[in-house]
Amino acid sequence: FSAASLALVKAKTLIVTEPVATGGSGDISLTTTAGALQVKTALGGGVVTLDSATDLQLTEALTGDRVNLRSGGNIGQDASAIVTANKLIGASTGRTTLGGANNISVLGNFDANGFALNNTKTLNVTGSPELAAAVSAIAGSLLRCPGMSPTVMVCVFRPVSTLTVKSTVAPP
């Protein structure tokens, strides 16, 4: 399927198995209001939004200037389903675990009942992510928090909730 942009809302399960082409800069938004959203092909665009009424399991690569993940359950990720984004935002009513070798520059607002992120480069945190549980950045991300030293290894946002990010990168 090819279009400048694509927005699709379905009241039942939605399974995407064929490539969706937007020329790399068009927006892609796939939403289910009941039932699961299953994306079985790599997606890339300007803003890529996946919004599932139930659990959302990333099985293929997602690339976008901004990636927005939303789930009425948990969000998970297969090891090969790398998220490459300038900015990641989203929400889940359950736990979000993004354990692949992701390439994310900025973590924006992400509301989850537990959040874990594996990232392969420096992760900048903007705004105040509202997380119901601690955020752990595992494997190779030096965290940069507004107003803090670039060598800080743990960053805590208050008062809404606590965001804790741990890094395996040694400070310079």
Side-chain angles (χ1 to χ4, degrees):
F1 180 82
S2 180
S5 290
L6 172 67
L8 180 62
V9 178
K10 188 171 180 188
K12 295 183 179 182
T13 296
L14 173 61
I15 302 171
V16 180
T17 59
E18 298 298 321
V20 176
T22 63
S25 61
D27 297 341
I28 299 172
S29 178
L30 303 173
T31 301
T32 60
T33 58
L37 172 60
Q38 298 174 21
V39 179
K40 298 181 178 188
T41 186
L43 293 178
V47 177
V48 177
T49 300
L50 301 181
D51 188 348
S52 179
T54 63
D55 289 350
L56 176 62
Q57 182 69 27
L58 304 179
T59 60
E60 298 292 335
L62 292 178
T63 302
D65 180 52
R66 186 174 71 190
V67 172
N68 183 0
L69 303 176
R70 300 196 167 277
S71 171
N74 296 316
I75 297 175
Q77 176 183 39
D78 292 355
S80 62
I82 307 304
V83 176
T84 302
N86 181 44
K87 187 171 190 177
L88 173 67
I89 61 173
S92 65
T93 59
R95 182 166 178 75
T96 294
T97 305
L98 301 174
N102 299 297
N103 187 6
I104 299 164
S105 297
V106 177
L107 175 63
N109 291 333
F110 209 113
D111 187 8
N113 189 15
F115 183 92
L117 171 66
N118 182 20
N119 204 45
T120 59
K121 67 184 207 176
T122 299
L123 181 66
N124 294 289
V125 178
T126 62
S128 291
E130 295 179 359
L131 303 177
V135 173
S136 298
I138 52 176
S141 288
L142 177 62
L143 174 71
R144 296 213 175 130
C145 301
M148 298 185 89
S149 162
T151 59
V152 169
M153 299 306 283
V154 177
C155 173
V156 179
F157 285 84
R158 300 190 192 279
V160 177
S161 60
T162 302
L163 166 68
T164 303
V165 179
K166 299 177 183 176
S167 174
T168 58
V169 173

